[in-house]
Amino acid sequence: MTTPPYPSYPEDLERPGLVRTGRSTFVRPIRPEDADRLVRFVGTLSRATLAYRSLGPVVRARDDVIRRGAHVDYLNELALVALAGDEIAGLVRYVRDPEEPEHAEVTFTIRDDHQSEGFGRLLLEHIAAAARARGIRVLEADVLADNARMINVFLGSGYRIEAGPPGQIIHFEIAVDPQAQAVARAERREQTAVRRSLKPLLEPRSVAVIGANRDPLTIGHEIVANLLRGGFAGSVFPVNPRAGQIAGARAYASVRDLPEPPDLALVAVRAEAVPGVVRECAEVGVKAVVVVSTGFGETGAEGRAGELELARFARASGMRLVGPNCMGVVNTTPAARLAATFSPALPTPGRVAMSSQSGPLGLAVLDFARRLRLGFSGFVSVGHAVDVSTDELLQWWEEDPGTSVILLHVETFGDPRRFARVARRIAPRKPIVAVHPGHADSAVSSLFAQSGVIRTRSLQELFDVALLLAHQPPPPGNRVAVITNAGGPAALTVGACAASGLCVPALGERTRQALRPALAPHADVSNPIDLTPTATAAHYRQALDAALADDGIDAAVVLFMPPLADKPDEVASAILDAAAARPDKPVLASFLGGAGVADLLHRGDLVVPTYTFPEAAATSLGHAAAYQTWRSTPAGVVPDLSGVDADRARSLIASCAPGPVPATVAADLLASYGIAVHDSEPGPGPDAFLTVRADPVFGPVVAFGLTGDYADLMADVAHRVTPLSDRDAREMVRSLRATPLLDGRTGGPGVDLAALEETVLRISAMVEDHPEIEALELRPVRLLPPGDGVTVAHATIQLADNTAAGGS
């Protein structure tokens, strides 16, 4: 097998990491300038650790020999180090077997004071991914039989392991292809590590505010004041060298003068002073830092480089970092009571948690939520998110019993695939609602759709949906009853329901019979149920009771145009009574022209969300209904496909230079994944196309559409982010507006949708197995009648030049 050369240093392998205990670290390839650091690392190792490393009697190598270990070619030999501060905590190294280039020997060395923390398992995951990207399929290791820790790392990894017979030395062969079990165990380890690492941030026992100020209305003063006003039960340490007391709390000259190392430090000093402050925090043992200060990435490339270096230092020092350019952290749960923010509006306790990537926006968010009476369990302004990320906060709130709805304001994704994996795990139990500024971004829409995330078009819509999901159940279906005392608003509501994927069906005969004698003489008992302006609170109660009892109705939207000033409270009480009687079906309200009505529709834990205009109610209900449909659909799996020869595909790719692949090789490559390329007559329906493009953020994105005007003029194209599950493929193929042309609804026989879905899955598997594939296009794809499959008439494939990016 031939492999391309790699550059001197692959920056793509620099990654933050968390060990099982929650300690933060930074993993990167070793560099020549690490030679002295490597000597110090080896010098700290005990005789027992050295014996395990050398598989026998201890022989200390000379320093010049150790220094040579810092020089690798990053292809045939690669070493990764995990840092603790400026020193090496753990090291893993592979050396490729020249006789069997797909095999490599791997060795692990963990500093004695960091053993049993989980560094071995973390480094195994990183070296396995790096080796896989460099054409290595099997890592081999020899381990002394009494080295129980290392043996447990291998056996507990979830990778396919072959172990030699018991003896003094056990030989392990580790297949680095990511098996489902390995992925699942890595996810569990990550989830545990993330939660432990975030505990000092979200549930600290003590907080320091560095840059605290005596002047009210300054950021440093307001953070201290909010911590004290918010009921934080731990110690609050203002840090200011020129103040004796701030907001009633004793101040200290520096973080080194504090009586104890705080769990959390908030930094509100000038940008140029931040690195020194963060270093001091690391030196005294601070576990988490929130950098409120501005003047970093928003100022340009130099500022961005500065904040990334800040994150690397914090990670290597075992700290988590939020920001910079953020507004802080809020936790309203009784165990925490943390208001570590300068926001003048603090949220009331509730069941909604939110992560925002904009500091200034967070101020408006908290103020708006308070006016809506939408309570928060937690709020984190991640700012530039150079370390603590949205997907990590998702994992914290996933297990938080006080959180039932999660809101996200997302501008950029650190690791979109990890976000999708985490969100897909959480969304069936807790709805995730997100707003993203790129309205036309098909990759983002696809990522959210695959993950079950409800995507909204604006912050207003985000909170409208949150108001519903925080207080009412998602509807079991999309059938809505509209109850009104004015015809005009009802017509607007019906139109908004149709635009949101809802229907307003006719009421059942039993429901109409029950309504006629109970309502006003001129009331319309069709749907919408028009009670006329003379309707009383009793009429509303009777109509809503009957509608919710109808088996053909899944939710109700109640409209009220108050003709008299004394009626809203009576009608609101009637609506609450009816909603309490049927807690399985959501009830929404719009009291047009009614000031302060939201307060009337609260009764203890029972809340009926109310909207100024009925269109917002319909839109929110449409999102909730679509979410319930997604949640009720069986979860998809990435299937094992028959007829796949990944080894042959790997060999074909290795034989080609970067750029377009010859047509014959492209056909052979597709054939190795069970896709035949040969021209044929068109089928009974239109032809289709399948393409893959490597998105710089999301990875491979698959596009499917029909050729001709459908895609060119109507933009009727479906996108999904790999890897695709069988559910993803099914939804993708059936999501086009032109689907009736494919499934026989237009009168023809239809096409073989099952074969088309399988082709999509095979393409997804191929680009996932071989990241060298930069672009792929199948055009045209002949869609044949059911049972006849599909054929690919023409295919093009392009390979990336990985030498410029360091490989993976």
Side-chain angles (χ1 to χ4, degrees):
M1 184 187 76
T2 60
T3 51
Y6 279 72
S8 58
Y9 183 78
E11 291 185 1
D12 62 299
L13 296 184
E14 290 187 345
R15 300 285 174 83
L18 292 172
V19 297
R20 184 186 63 253
T21 60
R23 178 189 174 91
S24 182
T25 185
F26 192 74
V27 179
R28 63 166 173 80
I30 203 164
R31 300 188 289 237
E33 54 266 35
D34 290 322
D36 289 339
R37 187 177 282 112
L38 188 58
V39 170
R40 292 195 298 271
F41 169 69
V42 174
T44 67
L45 303 177
S46 68
R47 294 179 65 84
T49 297
L50 286 170
Y52 283 141
R53 172 65 180 83
S54 59
L55 302 178
V58 176
V59 179
R60 288 195 178 270
R62 300 195 316 269
D63 287 357
D64 61 326
V65 175
I66 295 173
R67 285 191 176 92
R68 278 191 227 123
H71 298 265
V72 297
D73 65 7
Y74 304 111
L75 175 62
N76 296 311
E77 182 179 8
L78 174 65
L80 302 177
V81 295
L83 299 178
D86 290 332
E87 300 300 328
I88 298 172
L91 180 144
V92 62
R93 183 188 304 271
Y94 80 63
V95 179
R96 193 191 297 267
D97 186 338
E99 301 297 325
E100 292 185 86
E102 294 187 347
H103 287 236
E105 180 186 3
V106 66
T107 56
F108 294 79
T109 311
I110 310 299
R111 209 168 75 190
D112 290 70
D113 57 340
H114 290 293
Q115 293 175 7
S116 300
E117 292 185 13
F119 276 92
R121 190 157 294 173
L122 175 69
L123 287 172
L124 174 57
E125 292 172 10
H126 281 254
I127 200 70
R132 189 164 58 244
R134 285 153 176 78
I136 294 169
R137 300 177 57 209
V138 177
L139 294 174
E140 300 186 25
D142 290 321
V143 181
L144 288 177
D146 63 344
N147 189 352
R149 286 174 177 162
M150 204 67 243
I151 291 171
N152 288 336
V153 166
F154 292 150
L155 296 181
S157 67
Y159 291 107
R160 286 187 293 113
I161 305 288
E162 292 186 12
Q168 184 179 0
I169 296 176
I170 303 176
H171 181 75
F172 288 92
E173 293 194 356
I174 307 150
V176 299
D177 287 336
Q179 302 296 307
Q181 187 180 42
V183 172
R185 291 186 181 180
E187 285 184 10
R188 286 197 297 271
R189 186 198 65 76
E190 174 192 73
Q191 186 178 8
T192 299
V194 164
R195 287 190 56 79
R196 287 175 177 169
S197 79
L198 295 183
K199 190 174 180 65
L201 171 71
L202 296 169
E203 294 182 354
R205 294 166 298 181
S206 54
V207 181
V209 181
I210 305 168
N213 200 301
R214 285 174 296 191
D215 297 333
L217 302 182
T218 59
I219 287 176
H221 183 279
E222 289 306 297
I223 294 173
V224 176
N226 278 339
L227 282 165
L228 298 173
R229 283 197 300 261
F232 179 62
S235 301
V236 177
F237 302 124
V239 176
N240 184 321
R242 294 179 295 277
Q245 195 176 71
I246 294 175
R250 178 188 170 185
Y252 296 84
S254 79
V255 71
R256 291 191 178 94
D257 297 322
L258 300 181
E260 63 183 71
D263 282 346
L264 172 64
L266 284 97
V267 179
V269 299
R270 298 186 312 276
E272 58 268 24
V274 169
V277 168
V278 172
R279 184 169 291 275
E280 284 186 3
C281 288
E283 290 170 354
V284 302
V286 173
K287 297 181 177 67
V289 178
V290 175
V291 179
V292 176
S293 310
T294 60
F296 287 90
E298 74 277 12
T299 65
E302 185 176 348
R304 179 62 177 168
E307 66 185 18
L308 292 177
E309 182 56 37
L310 200 66
R312 281 192 286 267
F313 173 80
R315 279 287 197 167
S317 301
M319 296 190 301
R320 301 310 309 270
L321 186 146
V322 172
N325 192 13
C326 69
M327 56 169 287
V329 177
V330 176
N331 190 345
T332 69
T333 58
R337 299 279 183 196
L338 177 70
T341 176
F342 56 87
S343 172
L346 296 179
T348 56
R351 302 192 61 80
V352 176
M354 182 173 184
S355 166
S356 171
Q357 283 190 353
S358 170
L361 183 64
L363 296 172
V365 162
L366 292 181
D367 180 64
F368 185 58
R370 194 173 183 91
R371 286 189 280 115
L372 282 178
R373 293 191 59 172
L374 183 65
F376 276 68
S377 58
F379 178 87
V380 179
S381 168
V382 295
H384 294 168
V386 294
D387 178 26
V388 172
S389 60
T390 298
D391 54 80
E392 289 180 308
L393 292 169
L394 283 175
Q395 293 180 79
W396 175 270
W397 290 318
E398 175 183 12
E399 301 299 329
D400 178 21
T403 297
S404 58
V405 181
I406 302 172
L407 308 183
L408 305 176
H409 166 253
V410 184
E411 293 179 351
T412 60
F413 292 90
D415 186 339
R417 293 186 171 215
R418 184 167 71 166
F419 171 86
R421 172 168 46 81
V422 171
R424 194 180 298 208
R425 184 179 73 223
I426 297 172
R429 294 182 290 112
K430 296 185 179 184
I432 303 171
V433 191
V435 61
H436 184 278
H439 294 304
D441 192 329
S442 59
V444 173
S445 296
S446 301
L447 184 72
F448 286 161
Q450 287 175 256
S451 308
V453 175
I454 301 169
R455 184 179 187 183
T456 60
R457 295 166 292 185
S458 66
L459 282 168
Q460 176 70 62
E461 193 174 304
L462 177 87
F463 283 103
D464 287 343
V465 176
L467 200 62
L468 167 59
L469 294 174
H471 300 302
Q472 295 282 312
N478 70 339
R479 301 164 300 178
V480 182
V482 178
I483 301 171
T484 184
N485 66 349
L492 291 173
T493 306
V494 172
C497 284
S500 301
L502 304 169
C503 66
V504 182
L507 299 173
E509 181 58 32
R510 181 180 300 177
T511 303
R512 294 199 298 273
Q513 289 178 0
L515 284 170
R516 284 192 184 98
L519 300 184
H522 303 294
D524 187 350
V525 293
S526 61
N527 193 9
I529 305 170
D530 189 350
L531 304 177
T532 75
T534 63
T536 65
H539 291 136
Y540 268 94
R541 173 66 196 271
Q542 292 162 346
L544 189 51
D545 280 341
L548 293 176
D550 192 323
D551 291 338
I553 295 297
D554 301 305
V557 176
V558 183
L559 311 178
F560 179 67
M561 181 74 75
L564 298 174
D566 60 348
K567 280 192 174 182
D569 57 339
E570 299 175 14
V571 173
S573 181
I575 293 170
L576 286 169
D577 290 341
R582 286 304 302 258
D584 57 322
K585 294 183 179 181
V587 177
L588 296 78
S590 177
F591 277 38
L592 292 91
V597 172
D599 293 337
L600 301 177
L601 287 164
H602 284 243
R603 182 190 295 162
D605 292 334
L606 176 62
V607 177
V608 170
T610 181
Y611 301 87
T612 303
F613 298 108
E615 296 93 334
T619 301
S620 301
L621 192 58
H623 281 302
Y627 164 70
Q628 180 63 17
T629 299
W630 178 89
R631 188 168 69 169
S632 303
T633 304
V637 297
V638 178
D640 291 327
L641 300 167
S642 61
V644 171
D645 189 346
D647 290 340
R648 172 160 173 72
R650 191 175 293 109
S651 177
L652 288 166
I653 290 172
S655 69
C656 295
V661 170
T664 55
V665 178
D668 288 345
L669 185 55
L670 287 162
S672 68
Y673 276 78
I675 301 172
V677 179
H678 59 83
D679 203 0
S680 62
E681 293 298 319
D687 289 337
F689 66 85
L690 277 167
T691 67
V692 178
R693 292 290 183 271
D695 185 275
V697 174
F698 295 93
V701 178
V702 182
F704 164 70
L706 304 183
T707 58
D709 292 346
Y710 301 103
D712 297 339
L713 298 182
M714 300 171 59
D716 192 15
V717 180
H719 297 83
R720 291 294 184 273
V721 179
T722 66
L724 271 66
S725 67
D726 52 1
R727 171 176 170 174
D728 294 329
R730 182 171 58 253
E731 291 176 350
M732 180 182 191
V733 165
R734 289 165 167 77
S735 66
L736 299 182
R737 296 192 297 277
T739 296
L741 297 174
L742 307 179
D743 61 12
R745 277 183 281 169
T746 57
V751 303
D752 196 336
L753 290 175
L756 179 57
E757 292 165 18
E758 183 177 323
T759 302
V760 170
L761 289 170
R762 290 181 181 278
I763 290 297
S764 171
M766 186 170 73
V767 298
E768 279 291 301
D769 290 346
H770 309 286
E772 304 91 336
I773 298 175
E774 183 177 56
L776 176 150
E777 183 169 0
L778 310 183
R779 184 191 297 262
V781 177
R782 308 291 192 194
L783 305 181
L784 305 179
D788 290 346
V790 300
T791 62
V792 176
H794 183 70
T796 59
I797 295 176
Q798 179 156 327
L799 303 181
D801 183 358
N802 285 335
T803 61
S808 59

